Amino acid sequence: MRLFWSTCPKCLKAFVVEWALRHAGRQLICPYCGNRYLPDESAAIDDRYAE
């Protein structure tokens, strides 16, 4: 399964997200602060492919 790291733009904590949500147009929910945002609004994204 491919994953990516998203950093919440509100609390700046990073968490792992399933790759299928990367370009799905759906909001992510930060597990730390509950902020909802689109992946493109992330403070940082690490979507390098790793095996």
Side-chain angles (χ1 to χ4, degrees), residues 6-9 27 36-45:
S6 175
T7 300
C8 175
Q27 289 186 328
R36 295 174 182 260
Y37 62 96
L38 293 172
D40 289 340
E41 297 171 333
S42 298
I45 291 180

Side-chain angles (χ1 to χ4, degrees), residues 7-37:
T7 300
C8 175
K10 183 176 179 183
C11 72
L12 300 178
K13 293 186 180 178
F15 59 97
V16 176
V17 183
E18 187 176 338
W19 178 256
L21 296 175
R22 176 66 176 95
H23 299 287
R26 302 201 48 182
Q27 289 186 328
L28 305 178
I29 302 171
C30 176
Y32 300 103
C33 71
N35 184 41
R36 295 174 182 260
Y37 62 96

Side-chain angles (χ1 to χ4, degrees), residues 1-4 17-20 47-50:
M1 174 188 308
R2 188 169 177 191
L3 305 170
F4 72 97
V17 183
E18 187 176 338
W19 178 256
D47 60 1
R48 294 173 288 174
Y49 185 75

